[in-house]
Amino acid sequence: MEEKQSVIELLKRAAKLLFGNINLAFFLFLCSLPLFCFLIFFELSLQTTISLAYQFLSEQLSFEDYYTLKDHEDLSENVLIPWLIQTSLLYLIPYSLLDLLTTTTIVAVSSIVYTSEDKPLGLLYLVQRTIKICQNRVGGCLITSLYVLFWSTSVFFGLFSDSTNYLFIVSFSRRYEIFLDLGAMLFHVMVVLIHGTVFVVLTAKFSKWSAGWNMGMVISVLEEDEDGQGIYGSDAFSLSAWYGRGHEKRDLWMMLVFLVLALAMRLPCLYSKCSESSSRNGVLYTSLYVGFICVGNVLKWVACVVSYHDCKTRVFEKKGDVEQAKPSAT
């Protein structure tokens, strides 16, 4: 309960910082517009890819009597593969670059406002300071983001493999009718428990690691070493682990909140197949939940900035207390 309350307090402080400064809110709105426009196109492509992949797996694993596929013709790999390539390229190149630039800007300007001690800051001043920070840090942030992209993609492949293996086992069992006795039913229950446990553990680990990755991105934007150079890559993640020590559960809960909300907003559109809708309702709903995702993305990064400054202050206060407690040299 204490961890959940600390998450709520952190989100309240982030929301207060975000909406308590009109110049900050307006600047972040402008910065998020390119990502918002691109995400509409990307989400429609992702919806189509998921729908085709679902249909293809259903046909290959003989789920036709489980799921109604009367409105679809037989799907071949030649239809699915181009959509997979297109969505993967959109995610790896334009989306990753846009997300990197948006994240760097959000972190930089949020930190400027947070450390201003409630002094009124003009929009032009925020733009100039943010551009200066981003110019000096974008290279290091790119290296850090490549680390994050590699690890997050590996986790997604793990989740996909776990789900596909479960579907394969279920299909094999149904095809050869091995669920006819009690022993076979118990075997099925064990398979569900094993794959469900793997899925839950990977999701929890992904949320926990995401908190460290996000802190590492914040450090790559805001921190510098003794030579005035940025801290990025593995050094940023090591420093992130040091700063976040003692708040692992709070960070886990916060990342889970944003992950669940993002999935919950996507599910209705995936279920109703918005990308295949002949009317404009699918595009309108996609635009609506993409807007909520962008707002949640801004709030998440502002919360990460607030958490970073709090953790850094706490670490240095403890370090100062330890140094004061040391006996003086004789």
Side-chain angles (χ1 to χ4, degrees):
M1 289 298 297
E2 291 180 357
E3 295 296 339
K4 293 177 183 179
Q5 290 174 0
S6 63
V7 171
I8 295 175
E9 291 298 324
L10 182 62
L11 293 177
K12 285 182 179 179
R13 293 172 60 189
K16 183 179 179 180
L17 177 66
L18 178 60
F19 299 108
N21 189 311
I22 187 63
N23 290 329
L24 174 63
F26 181 69
F27 185 38
L28 293 181
F29 169 76
L30 293 178
C31 293
S32 301
L33 272 180
L35 182 62
F36 167 78
C37 297
F38 174 77
L39 273 178
I40 297 175
F41 174 73
F42 174 75
E43 288 290 331
L44 291 172
S45 177
L46 179 64
Q47 293 167 21
T48 303
T49 303
I50 292 176
S51 177
L52 293 175
Y54 169 79
Q55 181 186 347
F56 179 77
L57 288 174
S58 299
E59 293 174 355
Q60 297 298 315
L61 300 178
S62 303
F63 281 170
E64 291 87 351
D65 51 340
Y66 264 49
Y67 307 105
T68 304
L69 299 172
K70 295 180 180 179
D71 298 333
H72 300 279
E73 298 178 356
D74 291 340
L75 183 67
S76 65
E77 295 180 358
N78 295 330
V79 178
L80 176 60
I81 289 178
W83 280 99
L84 284 173
I85 295 175
Q86 172 184 300
T87 305
S88 299
L89 291 177
L90 287 175
Y91 176 77
L92 292 174
I93 302 176
Y95 171 75
S96 297
L97 292 177
L98 269 176
D99 185 58
L100 172 63
L101 294 175
T102 305
T103 298
T104 305
T105 304
I106 294 172
V107 170
V109 70
S110 299
S111 179
I112 293 170
V113 175
Y114 185 78
T115 56
S116 65
E117 299 178 353
D118 297 329
K119 295 178 182 178
L121 301 176
L123 182 60
L124 182 60
Y125 175 80
L126 291 178
V127 172
Q128 292 174 343
R129 284 285 307 276
T130 303
I131 292 176
K132 184 177 179 180
I133 293 174
C134 293
Q135 285 178 340
N136 297 331
R137 297 287 184 264
V138 68
C141 292
L142 177 61
I143 295 175
T144 305
S145 67
L146 290 176
Y147 277 78
V148 176
L149 180 64
F150 173 76
W151 289 331
S152 60
T153 304
S154 300
V155 176
F156 283 135
F157 273 122
L159 292 171
F160 178 77
S161 299
D162 178 68
S163 303
T164 305
N165 288 335
Y166 170 73
L167 292 175
F168 176 79
I169 293 174
V170 172
S171 172
F172 179 83
S173 303
R174 288 182 60 252
R175 183 174 298 177
Y176 294 99
E177 299 181 353
I178 67 172
F179 286 164
L180 299 179
D181 54 16
L182 182 60
M185 290 298 295
L186 291 176
F187 170 77
H188 181 64
V189 170
M190 289 181 60
V191 170
V192 172
L193 289 176
I194 292 173
H195 285 273
T197 302
V198 171
F199 189 87
V200 171
V201 169
L202 281 178
T203 303
K205 287 293 185 182
F206 177 76
S207 300
K208 180 180 178 180
W209 293 334
S210 294
W213 299 338
N214 292 341
M215 182 70 79
M217 283 296 300
V218 173
I219 290 172
S220 297
V221 178
L222 303 178
E223 286 273 2
E224 60 182 24
D225 56 19
E226 297 177 353
D227 299 329
Q229 301 297 320
I231 301 175
Y232 49 85
S234 57
D235 294 335
F237 297 128
S238 299
L239 193 57
S240 169
W242 184 39
Y243 284 166
R245 190 174 301 168
H247 291 293
E248 291 85 357
K249 290 184 179 180
R250 183 199 67 181
D251 296 337
L252 169 63
W253 279 107
M254 186 174 71
M255 291 299 108
L256 276 176
V257 167
F258 287 108
L259 178 62
V260 170
L261 289 177
L263 291 176
M265 285 185 288
R266 283 182 170 94
L267 286 178
C269 212
L270 291 174
Y271 180 77
S272 58
K273 299 178 182 178
C274 292
S275 60
E276 299 179 9
S277 177
S278 58
S279 64
R280 297 181 179 179
N281 294 334
V283 177
L284 289 176
Y285 181 77
T286 301
S287 304
L288 180 63
Y289 84 71
V290 165
F292 281 116
I293 288 175
C294 288
V295 172
N297 184 61
V298 171
L299 183 61
K300 178 188 72 176
W301 284 112
V302 174
C304 289
V305 170
V306 174
S307 176
Y308 159 77
H309 283 288
D310 286 357
C311 291
K312 184 178 180 180
T313 301
R314 176 181 56 84
V315 167
F316 280 97
E317 285 178 351
K318 287 185 177 181
K319 184 178 179 180
D321 294 339
V322 170
E323 290 179 352
Q324 291 178 3
K326 289 181 180 180
S328 59
T330 58

